[in-house]
Amino acid sequence: MVRQAVRDVRTAPPPAPVEPPADPAVAVLRAVVDDLAACSHQLGELMLEVAPAYLSDTQAADVLALLCDGIGETVENGLAARRYALTGARRALAGTLL
């Protein structure tokens, strides 16, 4: 239910640019970054199911600690993905893989 509500309210990650870059290496790297962002968005939706948006980061960290440990993710990255799912802003992922 939370996942559907987030999808209804928030937008998905932005689509890739219409024009591909001239350098093929840049195009490949951009595709990898876009894939990582999409995976982070999905992870954030999972985090929101466990720790809803009304919880602060401190409260959510306590709730998400067991889940993050179980999937091999740090709590900090889980919280960043949660913020990204809430806002759709890639800057929320600063300091993680992106």
Side-chain angles (χ1 to χ4, degrees):
M1 187 158 104
V2 171
R3 180 181 287 180
Q4 186 60 42
V6 168
R7 283 187 182 146
D8 290 345
V9 175
R10 304 290 182 196
T11 59
V18 177
E19 284 187 36
D23 186 0
V26 172
V28 170
L29 289 174
R30 184 173 288 166
V32 169
V33 169
D34 290 341
D35 287 343
L36 285 171
C39 290
S40 294
H41 194 269
Q42 290 174 343
L43 179 63
E45 288 178 339
L46 173 66
M47 297 296 162
L48 282 170
E49 285 184 22
V50 176
Y54 62 82
L55 295 177
S56 69
D57 274 1
T58 304
Q59 293 168 324
D62 294 337
V63 174
L64 294 174
L66 185 60
L67 172 63
C68 289
D69 186 50
I71 63 173
E73 189 64 70
T74 65
V75 175
E76 292 80 19
N77 287 353
L79 290 171
R82 180 176 173 262
R83 286 188 295 271
Y84 178 50
L86 281 169
T87 64
R90 285 191 181 180
R91 68 177 179 255
L93 299 173
T96 64
L97 290 176
L98 292 181

